Amino acid sequence: MAVTYIVYHVLRVFVLVFILLDVCSASFSMAVTSSSTTDTVLIVVDQSGQGDYKTIQDAINAVASNNSELIYIWIKPGTYREKIVVPADKPFITLSGTEASNTIITWNDGGDIFNSPTLSVMASDFVARYLTIQNTFGMSGKAIALRVAGDRAALYGCRILSYQDTLLDDSGRHYYYNCYIEGATDFICGNAASLFESCHLHSLATTFGTITAQHRNSPFENTGFIFVGCKITGMGDGTVLGRPWGSCSRVIFAHTFMSNVISPEGWRGWDDPSKERSKRVGWSRELSHDESAPFLNKSMIGGRSWLRPTPTHFKKHLPRPIEDGGN
């Protein structure tokens, strides 16, 4: 296993590319998904009763299985105390607030990483916009705020909050833009192929903190976490960029500002002394333009074939309320 750390400067902007256990070079597969040209179905969730549903889960439940239409669930401001699942047979759903600061999905659960998430996304072609997704379980153990296990998922302007294992970026190809992700231990973990662009990562750890725990176990897996144009802040000075959950873990940081919260060694092993390094300076070198280019755009996740714009035309074509059985 090879560990590579790369640091360079461009136009006085601090740029860091950090490759964690980059065992081999592998290209991310491309998927071709035709975008719909039809109007999007609008469903409104409002706790006051002025919408189509009072809870987010009820709105999701109302979507037909094996759905093929674009569904836009607009969530009016409020704090929604729900444990939510977007099932695998309900693709093409968007959950959108107006501002993350006033549209909050919250739950309090811990222990198992697959059962504790506040929001679990199992479906493909999912989008979330302007939401706060949080797990308030605290410092007592694993507590997932968001699990993303469907392919082709995108999140914009969301706040994802917990302490340990905040974001289980489980599997599939994902895109995170302008999101705020907060935690202390392995707070971005999993084995997805994901691009994080212009995101803010904040460590709550005062002494020992780890941002990522990527779970790639084979050089033939086209997975990894790529952070481009991000910012890292924190409360202490002992946080590292990551530790290898898998034997072939791959994590890349580029064009990223790092405050002094990041410890000089950069990363730590997973209770394996052979993976420990005292300083990353010895592995530093300057990347050429050609070397860095493949990591700095959406081609890594095939995003140009499936990322879709915000809909501008809606149609009111609602399924019947779930208590009517759709009849």
Side-chain angles (χ1 to χ4, degrees):
M1 292 183 290
V3 180
T4 308
Y5 303 94
I6 304 164
V7 182
Y8 62 105
H9 292 261
V10 177
L11 299 178
R12 298 183 181 178
V13 177
F14 179 72
V15 179
L16 170 68
V17 174
F18 165 75
I19 304 176
L20 171 61
L21 298 177
D22 187 13
V23 179
C24 65
S25 60
S27 60
F28 285 79
S29 60
M30 299 281 285
V32 177
T33 303
S34 60
S35 59
S36 173
T37 57
T38 61
D39 288 346
T40 299
V41 175
L42 176 64
I43 300 175
V44 179
V45 175
D46 188 340
Q47 290 177 322
S48 70
Q50 299 302 306
D52 302 302
Y53 297 94
K54 291 184 178 181
T55 73
I56 301 166
Q57 190 65 62
D58 279 353
I60 294 169
N61 292 346
V63 177
S65 295
N66 303 312
N67 166 65
S68 60
E69 292 189 284
L70 295 179
I71 305 291
Y72 195 94
I73 299 176
W74 180 25
I75 305 167
K76 292 293 189 71
T79 298
Y80 295 80
R81 291 179 172 84
E82 301 186 49
K83 193 178 179 74
I84 298 168
V85 177
V86 182
D89 65 348
K90 297 191 177 185
F92 303 111
I93 287 177
T94 294
L95 298 180
S96 180
T98 304
E99 296 180 13
S101 61
N102 63 23
T103 312
I104 300 165
I105 303 171
T106 184
W107 197 252
N108 183 333
D109 199 359
D112 183 84
I113 62 172
F114 299 116
N115 294 323
S116 65
T118 299
L119 171 61
S120 296
V121 178
M122 315 307 293
S124 66
D125 300 285
F126 172 83
V127 177
R129 298 179 181 274
Y130 315 122
L131 300 171
T132 290
I133 305 160
Q134 69 179 16
N135 190 326
T136 59
F137 187 72
M139 304 169 61
S140 301
K142 300 173 183 176
I144 315 300
L146 172 65
R147 178 189 179 193
V148 186
D151 194 22
R152 301 186 299 272
L155 288 90
Y156 302 90
C158 290
R159 300 173 71 242
I160 309 167
L161 314 176
S162 187
Y163 191 82
Q164 181 173 346
D165 300 344
T166 302
L167 169 60
L168 177 54
D169 197 44
D170 197 1
S171 60
R173 290 161 296 173
H174 307 151
Y175 179 61
Y176 299 84
Y177 179 77
N178 196 30
C179 292
Y180 175 88
I181 307 169
E182 180 180 278
T185 305
D186 306 332
F187 63 92
I188 302 174
C189 58
N191 195 23
S194 295
L195 173 61
F196 297 79
E197 188 172 9
S198 301
C199 291
H200 182 177
L201 316 178
H202 183 75
S203 174
L204 298 174
T206 56
T207 53
F208 179 91
T210 50
I211 295 173
T212 66
Q214 210 278 331
H215 203 195
R216 183 172 177 254
N217 283 305
S218 164
F220 302 106
E221 292 181 271
N222 295 329
T223 60
F225 299 158
I226 302 100
F227 299 86
V228 177
C230 296
K231 176 173 69 173
I232 300 174
T233 59
M235 299 175 60
D237 58 3
T239 293
V240 294
L241 298 171
R243 56 178 179 166
W245 189 5
S247 58
C248 298
S249 297
R250 179 162 55 187
V251 175
I252 300 166
F253 285 89
H255 297 283
T256 291
F257 168 79
M258 299 182 182
S259 69
N260 58 9
V261 67
I262 297 300
S263 184
E265 67 265 32
W267 74 288
R268 295 188 181 100
W270 203 292
D271 300 323
D272 184 350
S274 68
K275 297 175 183 175
E276 298 290 347
R277 300 290 184 272
S278 60
K279 300 287 183 181
R280 65 175 180 266
V281 176
W283 291 270
S284 297
R285 66 183 179 88
E286 186 171 322
L287 277 181
S288 69
H289 178 270
D290 290 342
E291 287 175 313
S292 61
F295 303 113
L296 304 181
N297 58 62
K298 297 178 183 66
S299 64
M300 290 290 291
I301 57 170
R304 288 187 174 86
S305 67
W306 56 266
L307 289 170
R308 60 183 186 267
T310 305
T312 56
H313 296 90
F314 297 95
K315 62 181 178 181
K316 210 67 162 155
H317 177 68
L318 298 173
R320 290 191 179 276
I322 55 174
E323 59 266 24
D324 291 346
N327 297 316

